[in-house]
Amino acid sequence: MTQPLFLTPVFQERIWGGTALRDQFGYEIPSDHTGECWAISGHQNGPSVVENGPYKGKTLIELWDHHRELFGGLEGKVFPLLTKILDANADLSVQVHPNDEYANIHENGELGKTECWYIIDCKEGAEMIYGHNAGSKEEFAQMIEKGEWNELLRRVAIKPGDFFYVPSGTVHALCEGTLVLETQQSSDTTYRVYDYDRKDQNGQTRELHIEKSLDVSMVPHKDANVDIKEEQRPGVMLTTFVETEYFSVYKWDVAGAAELTQAKPFMLASVIAGEGTLKTAEGTFPIKKGTHFILPSGTGQFEISGDASLIVSHP
């Protein structure tokens, strides 16, 4: 038995970032251009640190490397998942991610990047780019070369509470005024297709990756098939968003007291609204909006009480 692992987020500044991570979650952010909260991360570019218990001060990388029993003995070189909160204060670049095979060959053994988004909040009339209208690789390349972005890119209206599954190979971009919880494979590989010709603080345009983007993009685009299911149990509404080979993602809306079981190798949980308490055999722990934790292997039965919403995932 072991305690839940509460984690300190890592923040990443981005050209498109803002202040929503401070304004809505109360985090201390490094600047007014903070785009990403790496909430639960075992990635070398920003590993989370444990806040409590016998592993306090250790990174998630150290635990994965030396205490694999916490994760049910799951195999793999790296911790498989990465949970982020993204503040798209401006449009993100239009991008696409490789699959495992392509990333392993071209990105020094990095994992591919299939991801998904839960829209925590967004401005009125917000949208995102999800897919494209090209019918063939040749047409895709020609439209990029001619800069026919309005004709090429598909725009989708979004609202708080929406969920999108974004398999590797999907051309996509979050747009201005969007706050998102992202569950993804643990990868930091992104191929930029288009960046609106904007310049950074040094007057430089950011690198594009057209050749690799053409290699990995799904053409023609097909929307991912998402079959969302809801189940009401005492004290909690359980929503299943996806169950895939890379991850399964759920939302738990707790109102009262909910008795649940952790029977997976491990579970990641992020509180996106409200507050309450988490009670396991190891003790009782306060949780609130902005809290992130892992329920390790062997947690078994536990209880969450209060009024809170959590996004939960496991490999």
Side-chain angles (χ1 to χ4, degrees):
M1 299 292 293
T2 190
Q3 294 182 20
L5 303 168
F6 290 90
L7 298 159
T8 302
V10 177
F11 297 97
Q12 308 279 3
E13 294 172 276
R14 298 289 185 256
I15 192 172
W16 41 262
T19 62
L21 292 168
R22 179 183 68 212
D23 302 341
Q24 292 211 33
F25 282 87
Y27 294 133
E28 288 185 25
I29 57 176
S31 79
D32 288 353
H33 291 282
T34 302
E36 303 190 9
C37 163
W38 288 25
I40 304 176
S41 167
H43 195 283
Q44 60 185 3
N45 292 354
S48 304
V49 175
V50 178
E51 294 179 343
N52 67 301
Y55 304 107
K56 182 176 179 177
K58 294 196 177 297
T59 67
L60 197 46
I61 293 175
E62 290 177 285
L63 294 193
W64 183 256
D65 287 346
H66 303 296
H67 294 280
R68 195 67 66 94
E69 71 278 2
L70 295 172
F71 310 104
L74 202 71
E75 294 184 353
K77 283 192 303 183
V78 296
F79 188 79
L81 299 183
L82 175 53
T83 302
K84 297 179 182 176
I85 303 175
L86 306 179
D87 170 18
N89 187 54
D91 292 344
L92 273 68
S93 61
V94 179
Q95 54 195 240
V96 64
H97 305 308
N99 61 20
D100 287 345
E101 184 182 14
Y102 191 94
N104 185 51
I105 294 167
H106 296 274
E107 306 299 336
N108 300 317
E110 177 91 310
L111 289 177
K113 192 172 173 186
T114 284
E115 61 192 16
C116 60
W117 295 330
Y118 176 81
I119 311 297
I120 298 172
D121 196 13
C122 61
K123 69 177 186 178
E124 190 80 25
E127 56 187 15
M128 60 180 259
I129 290 166
Y130 186 79
H132 61 83
N133 296 312
S136 66
K137 288 270 187 181
E138 293 73 25
E139 185 182 17
F140 189 59
Q142 286 169 4
M143 294 177 84
I144 289 173
E145 193 173 341
K146 292 177 182 175
E148 295 175 343
W149 302 111
N150 289 336
E151 296 80 12
L152 176 62
L153 300 172
R154 291 178 64 222
R155 291 183 175 268
V156 178
I158 62 172
K159 63 185 185 303
D162 283 350
F163 178 85
F164 294 89
Y165 182 54
V166 188
S168 62
T170 305
V171 174
H172 65 277
L174 292 173
C175 298
E176 175 192 348
T178 313
L179 186 67
V180 168
L181 187 133
E182 176 176 281
T183 304
Q184 59 160 91
Q185 290 180 271
S186 184
S187 171
D188 202 20
T189 297
T190 290
Y191 299 150
R192 287 192 202 100
V193 183
Y194 178 52
D195 197 33
Y196 306 97
D197 302 317
R198 62 185 159 191
K199 294 180 169 59
D200 64 18
Q201 65 269 29
N202 301 316
Q204 304 294 315
T205 55
R206 296 196 294 171
E207 182 185 3
L208 300 179
H209 312 93
I210 302 300
E211 191 173 323
K212 287 180 175 179
S213 297
L214 289 169
D215 281 350
V216 305
S217 291
M218 173 181 18
V219 183
H221 170 78
K222 294 187 187 72
D223 281 350
N225 184 29
V226 174
D227 181 21
I228 297 173
K229 301 182 182 74
E230 292 185 339
E231 179 191 355
Q232 182 67 57
R233 289 195 202 167
V236 64
M237 172 67 85
L238 303 174
T239 303
T240 300
F241 289 126
V242 287
E243 294 175 298
T244 74
E245 62 182 298
Y246 302 108
F247 45 68
S248 296
V249 180
Y250 315 91
K251 185 170 182 243
W252 297 347
D253 289 301
V254 177
E259 293 190 0
L260 298 159
T261 303
Q262 201 304 73
K264 305 297 180 183
F266 58 95
M267 280 182 153
L268 317 185
S270 297
V271 185
I272 58 168
E275 60 185 345
T277 56
L278 166 66
K279 185 177 182 181
T280 75
E282 297 289 303
T284 301
F285 309 88
I287 59 173
K288 64 177 183 177
K289 181 177 179 178
T291 299
H292 307 277
F293 58 93
I294 297 175
L295 295 171
S297 179
T299 297
Q301 289 189 302
F302 63 96
E303 180 184 277
I304 297 179
S305 57
D307 186 1
S309 295
L310 299 86
I311 301 292
V312 178
S313 62
H314 61 76

